[in-house]
Amino acid sequence: MSQEDPVKSPQTHDPVGNAIPPVEHTGIHTTEPPTAAAGLSAVLSTLKHIRSEMGLFKGLALLNRVNQHQGFDCPGCAWPDPDTGRSSIAEYCENGAKAIAEEGTERLIGAGFFQQYSIRELARWSDHELGKSGRLSEPMILREGEEHYQPVSWEDAFALIARQLQALDSPDEAIFYTSGRTSNEAAFLYQLFVRQYGTNNLPDCSNMCHESSGKALTETLGIGKGSVTLHDFELADLIIVIGQNPGTNHPRMLTALQKAKKNGGKIISINPLPEVGLRSFKHPQQLSGLFGSGTALADMHLPVRINGDVAVLKGIMKIMLDKEDEQPGMVFDHAFIEQKTTGYRAFADDLRKVNLLRCEESGGISLDKLREAADMIMASKKIICCWAMGLTQHKNAVGNIQELVNLLLLKGSIGIPGGGTCPVRGHSNVQGDRTMGIWEIPQPEFMERLEKEFDFQPPLKNGYNTVAAIQAMHRGAAKVFIGLGGNFLSATPDTLYTAKALGNCLLTVQVSTKLNRSHLVTGQTALILPCLGRSETDRQAGGAQFVSVENSMGVVHRSEGHQQPASSQLMSEPAIVAHMAQHSLPHSSTNWLEMAGNYDLIRDRIQATIPGFEDYNKRIRKEGGFYLPNSARIQQFNTTDGLAKFTIHPIPVHQLKTGEFMMMTIRSHDQFNTTIYGLDDRYRGIYRERRVVLMNEEDMEKEGLKPRDAVDIRSDYDGETRIAKGFLVVPYVIPRHCVATYFPEANVLVPIGLVADKSHTPASKSIVVTLHKG
């Protein structure tokens, strides 16, 4: 049913708490969600964004180079390209095209823009308005006490960074953050610079997303990466997609799911919200996809309560164990269990004690549905489990993922064609950055190789992860922040706390392509260092260069831009890092500028220090790149005893009081991470508004709320209250006592101290809140 009213946007607040007055706008508009993802609507949306930013001719020409050999890697998600049969027409998705349009925009931001607008004025702009302002075109400085950025030369900027770093009492007083967009070459130089400087303070975006996956998989399988390849999807009997919305966050994954279905595979979706992308998919390169009904995907959808995943998985495995006890050897792969695993007996004994009625209550899924899902799993051998932040951002996130590992171990479905683990990474090189050594926890073998190759003694003390880095800045223990890409303030939890932390710094430095909120909430002095985008030509002293990235399935491949840079004053990320190091480390024996002039030299040093990169410069030039070694893929488990491990986890207990709800943050279809492309969430039928709270209609009635009522959302944690003002209630199909809000607007409600056990990932998917009518 369509609902549209010309209403005022509810009052909002900027990240430092200043009230933003209501503004007139066309009004929120809601409709029934579409019945299928992609199709003609995705094509039209792509053309609209491309035309508005760079024009159709230029835009379509640029898109023809995306994810192609000797082209550039999409700056969006990390979903892999096909090993063979890559489309020469369009190897990208709608949201990838939006990312490329944003990067290729013809609008530029320079001195005139910052002379016209103060940071106080810009702080009142929405994230969408900031992003649409244009590409940053020259280095800028915000001097202490001033409100307008001014131009600064690259040389002066690097000299300022060096002075501030050299003046600190300890290297541990500096924070060096990395975004998942950063290339292998830039990431390797960055961690080398930071460790030669003397610290392991290398927080990155992994800390906020798949850190839980890495911890869970390393403990149980001996490697923190997924085990499957893209080809495995075509072979799978069953694919379980849990805590993930591929239609919006990884749209090219839908093609793999479509192939699986056409080959006879089944799909189970487990997620609090029903997502269109798992209901049906219209392939936009197929005539039936443009004009037909599309391919039905999920055979079963289990609308689990927020953080009810352990209950659902334990319930399913309990049903499977009961059947195995009735018919020994007919359900579980005991040969695999006996030869390749440890801990099965204790795991099975614990599982026998599980109460199925409690699983039904905690997970919100009926016993009939749990049995139906168990039947599908018991009938399958080649099983792939896919997940994303719906599992990784809870206090018990590591346990969530290890329950999936338990399920796969029971069936012997790891390390076989068509079976295994698939954590679906969000940013295009977030996995590669970790491979390059971007990690606050130094690995002894890697430190030894760095010491041998570069003739320095790396620090061995653990550094700060993202949450610890924010806390250190907040208490004054860290005084310089350097961000290599990303939008740190908007990506992190507890927005006002993080804003205060950044404000405590003596210097904040942001290496960026576009304006974002992290440029407006700064230390005493701030620098914006504009860098090249993925699509742009990178010409250094040694000629035209290319970089490399690692996708979600461990394939390393090249990325080379051919577009004229947006400005002559842009520098590449490797060059920026090299110049920072050259200025800051006068006694270093490393020839930073030589490596920045020829990226082959960086790859030579990667080859010398990181296993799996033998003949790097030769293999990276081959079409499709190369796979990194993956022990779990061949059933070799690099744990302490060489065996995969069953683990035992309790069902989380959530005792909500009357009027309390469990909130999770989600993304709209018009955004990627913190980048807001527009104000519409087409796949959920919500248009022209982002400050919304999705709510079950029965809960609305009980709370006396009507559609589009304005509410303040409040979270109380550890004696502190956090409030997000002015959200509009939208009735939606979501389990009782659960609500959903968009990230990053609701990050203000996520307590800095509420993190996942072991991984320390912010628990942004399970925040207890109350709603208060304005």
Side-chain angles (χ1 to χ4, degrees):
M1 184 176 187
S2 177
Q3 300 174 337
E4 184 170 6
D5 280 332
V7 298
K8 285 190 175 183
S9 176
Q11 180 171 315
T12 61
H13 285 66
D14 69 23
V16 292
N18 296 319
I20 303 174
V23 295
E24 295 288 348
H25 76 135
T26 54
I28 184 173
H29 174 53
T30 61
T31 67
E32 290 294 326
T35 57
L40 185 59
S41 61
V43 174
L44 295 176
S45 175
T46 295
L47 295 176
K48 169 190 168 185
H49 282 271
I50 287 293
R51 182 179 59 191
S52 67
E53 297 290 353
M54 64 178 78
L56 281 179
F57 180 78
K58 177 183 174 183
L60 292 175
L62 191 59
L63 289 177
N64 281 336
R65 288 188 175 272
V66 183
N67 297 326
Q68 302 294 333
H69 181 59
Q70 295 188 339
F72 64 96
D73 188 62
C74 178
C77 79
W79 189 253
D81 307 318
D83 291 338
T84 59
R86 190 176 304 193
S87 171
S88 60
I89 302 173
E91 192 57 61
Y92 56 86
C93 68
E94 174 192 351
N95 278 355
K98 291 175 184 175
I100 292 157
E102 289 270 312
E103 181 178 289
T105 182
E106 295 183 339
R107 293 187 288 272
L108 298 180
I109 293 177
F113 176 89
F114 288 110
Q115 185 177 8
Q116 181 177 1
Y117 300 109
S118 69
I119 58 169
R120 184 178 296 275
E121 290 174 290
L122 291 172
R124 296 180 179 274
W125 292 19
S126 69
D127 292 319
H128 176 236
E129 291 169 320
L130 292 173
K132 289 296 181 182
S133 301
R135 281 287 298 276
L136 295 162
S137 63
E138 58 182 312
M140 306 296 296
I141 186 171
L142 182 68
R143 294 184 171 87
E144 184 175 358
E146 297 187 357
E147 291 198 355
H148 289 265
Y149 276 98
Q150 297 176 351
V152 64
S153 71
W154 281 105
E155 179 64 26
D156 287 347
F158 293 134
L160 172 60
I161 293 169
R163 286 197 303 273
Q164 289 282 14
L165 290 177
Q166 292 165 2
L168 296 178
D169 293 333
S170 165
D172 292 329
E173 292 182 340
I175 307 294
F176 300 86
Y177 176 76
T178 311
S179 159
R181 185 202 66 199
T182 304
S183 69
N184 284 347
E185 291 75 10
F188 183 80
L189 280 189
Y190 196 49
Q191 65 81 29
L192 180 63
F193 160 45
V194 172
R195 290 185 165 114
Q196 286 199 22
Y197 174 64
T199 185
N200 285 305
N201 286 347
L202 284 161
D204 72 331
C205 58
S206 281
N207 296 153
M208 294 180 287
C209 56
H210 274 286
E211 195 71 54
S212 301
S213 299
K215 187 67 175 177
L217 295 176
T218 300
E219 285 185 352
T220 54
L221 303 178
I223 183 171
K225 301 179 181 182
S227 66
V228 300
T229 68
L230 188 56
H231 181 61
D232 285 323
F233 280 76
E234 299 180 38
L235 308 176
D237 299 327
L238 176 66
I239 300 169
I240 299 173
V241 182
I242 178 169
Q244 185 199 0
N245 174 18
T248 286
N249 300 329
H250 313 92
R252 286 199 299 156
M253 181 179 172
L254 300 184
T255 302
L257 297 179
Q258 182 189 51
K259 289 180 179 179
K261 289 292 293 184
K262 289 186 175 180
N263 290 340
K266 303 287 187 180
I267 298 173
I268 297 176
S269 164
I270 305 175
N271 196 55
L273 300 179
E275 301 292 4
V276 171
L278 286 168
R279 179 177 176 182
S280 183
F281 170 55
K282 294 183 177 183
H283 199 308
Q285 294 184 41
Q286 298 171 356
L287 193 62
S288 60
L290 288 174
F291 303 106
S293 59
T295 302
L297 293 181
D299 298 273
M300 171 183 283
H301 173 63
L302 302 179
V304 62
R305 285 182 178 147
I306 293 175
N307 203 20
D309 307 276
V310 169
V312 167
L313 293 171
K314 288 179 84 79
I316 288 171
M317 288 187 287
K318 163 69 171 173
I319 293 167
M320 293 169 61
L321 179 61
D322 289 346
K323 180 65 73 172
E324 172 67 22
D325 286 344
E326 292 174 12
Q327 301 177 350
M330 300 301 292
V331 177
F332 297 163
D333 186 338
H334 283 284
F336 174 85
I337 292 171
E338 292 170 8
Q339 296 170 20
K340 298 288 186 179
T341 75
T342 185
Y344 169 74
R345 182 168 297 180
F347 169 78
D349 288 345
D350 177 78
L351 198 56
R352 289 188 179 95
K353 301 173 186 176
V354 168
N355 185 317
L356 284 176
L357 291 178
R358 185 184 172 197
C359 292
E360 180 181 45
E361 171 62 24
S362 296
I365 305 299
S366 70
L367 288 180
D368 286 344
K369 285 296 183 181
L370 292 179
R371 291 191 175 97
E372 186 180 344
D375 286 342
M376 291 177 67
I377 295 169
M378 287 188 287
S380 304
K381 173 64 176 178
K382 296 177 287 186
I383 304 169
I384 295 175
C385 289
C386 307
W387 69 91
M389 285 179 284
L391 288 193
T392 69
Q393 292 184 330
H394 299 278
K395 183 168 176 54
N396 52 284
V398 172
N400 288 341
I401 297 153
Q402 289 183 341
E403 291 291 4
L404 284 179
V405 173
N406 288 336
L407 177 61
L408 292 170
L409 293 179
L410 290 175
K411 297 291 294 180
S413 297
I414 293 179
I416 63 173
T421 56
C422 184
V424 185
R425 310 280 177 173
H427 217 157
S428 59
N429 198 42
V430 61
Q431 186 162 295
D433 290 347
R434 180 57 56 86
T435 302
M436 291 297 104
I438 298 292
W439 197 9
E440 74 278 2
I441 303 175
Q443 301 302 290
E445 299 86 354
F446 182 49
M447 296 301 101
E448 290 173 8
R449 289 190 291 267
L450 285 179
E451 181 175 2
K452 180 180 178 180
E453 181 69 17
F454 293 98
D455 192 26
F456 80 106
Q457 188 161 355
L460 300 180
K461 184 179 72 172
N462 286 1
Y464 295 131
N465 59 36
T466 295
V467 167
I470 296 169
Q471 291 170 329
M473 290 187 287
H474 194 272
R475 66 176 182 268
K479 301 173 182 178
V480 172
F481 174 89
I482 300 177
L484 188 60
N487 180 359
F488 188 79
L489 178 63
S490 293
T492 48
D494 214 338
T495 309
L496 299 183
Y497 182 99
T498 301
K500 178 67 164 57
L502 289 169
N504 286 344
C505 290
L506 300 174
L507 174 68
T508 51
V509 181
Q510 306 288 348
V511 180
S512 309
T513 57
K514 301 288 294 293
L515 185 66
N516 65 54
R517 199 159 296 281
S518 296
H519 302 127
L520 311 177
V521 178
T522 72
Q524 292 179 15
T525 303
L527 288 170
I528 298 175
L529 305 183
C531 65
L532 293 172
R534 283 270 178 88
S535 61
E536 292 171 323
T537 300
D538 183 354
R539 187 165 294 279
Q540 302 296 331
Q545 305 295 315
F546 67 86
V547 296
S548 57
V549 295
E550 178 186 344
N551 66 34
S552 206
M553 294 177 186
V555 179
V556 180
H557 58 97
R558 66 186 284 164
S559 175
E560 183 174 7
H562 296 275
Q563 187 77 9
Q564 180 72 18
S567 166
S568 61
Q569 295 196 57
L570 305 183
M571 290 182 69
S572 74
E573 285 185 322
I576 291 172
V577 173
H579 279 274
M580 284 195 295
Q582 183 77 13
H583 282 73
S584 301
L585 306 174
H587 303 298
S588 172
S589 61
T590 302
N591 194 329
W592 301 97
L593 299 187
E594 183 182 38
M595 287 193 289
N598 181 352
Y599 299 170
D600 278 356
L601 300 179
I602 305 176
R603 288 186 282 270
D604 285 342
R605 310 307 280 272
I606 293 171
Q607 175 181 322
T609 52
I610 302 178
F613 287 85
E614 297 77 13
D615 294 323
Y616 194 0
N617 275 309
K618 180 179 179 181
R619 291 195 292 161
I620 198 62
R621 286 173 164 83
K622 292 183 178 179
E623 184 169 355
F626 58 92
Y627 280 89
L628 290 174
N630 189 301
S631 54
R633 194 170 288 159
I634 55 175
Q635 293 190 355
Q636 291 182 1
F637 303 112
N638 294 327
T639 57
T640 53
D641 57 9
L643 298 173
K645 300 186 184 303
F646 282 94
T647 52
I648 298 172
H649 305 281
I651 295 173
V653 176
H654 300 294
Q655 296 179 332
L656 297 176
K657 301 175 185 176
T658 301
E660 289 184 336
F661 299 89
M662 187 67 74
M663 184 196 81
M664 65 177 183
T665 60
I666 59 176
R667 295 188 218 166
S668 83
H669 192 63
D670 250 0
Q671 76 177 100
F672 178 72
N673 292 342
T674 60
T675 302
I676 311 301
Y677 303 128
L679 302 180
D680 298 340
D681 193 354
R682 188 173 79 246
Y683 285 178
R684 296 190 181 103
I686 302 170
Y687 297 85
R688 297 199 290 274
E689 185 57 76
R690 288 186 52 82
R691 295 184 74 85
V692 297
V693 52
L694 278 55
M695 194 172 182
N696 183 286
E697 288 192 83
E698 292 182 44
D699 288 332
M700 289 174 57
E701 183 177 355
K702 185 176 180 180
E703 295 295 314
L705 295 172
K706 298 178 182 178
R708 294 188 300 282
D709 273 352
V711 296
D712 296 339
I713 310 175
R714 168 175 165 167
S715 74
D716 293 280
Y717 177 78
D718 201 21
E720 291 188 45
T721 296
R722 294 163 176 84
I723 300 176
K725 290 182 174 289
F727 280 68
L728 299 180
V729 175
V730 172
Y732 207 79
V733 180
I734 187 171
R736 291 289 311 274
H737 313 298
C738 298
V739 294
T741 52
Y742 292 133
F743 155 101
E745 285 83 353
N747 283 3
V748 67
L749 297 167
V750 181
I752 191 69
L754 184 58
V755 297
D757 298 331
K758 297 183 179 181
S759 70
H760 307 289
T761 297
S764 303
K765 300 291 188 190
S766 48
I767 307 298
V768 177
V769 300
T770 53
L771 307 181
H772 303 268
K773 195 170 180 179

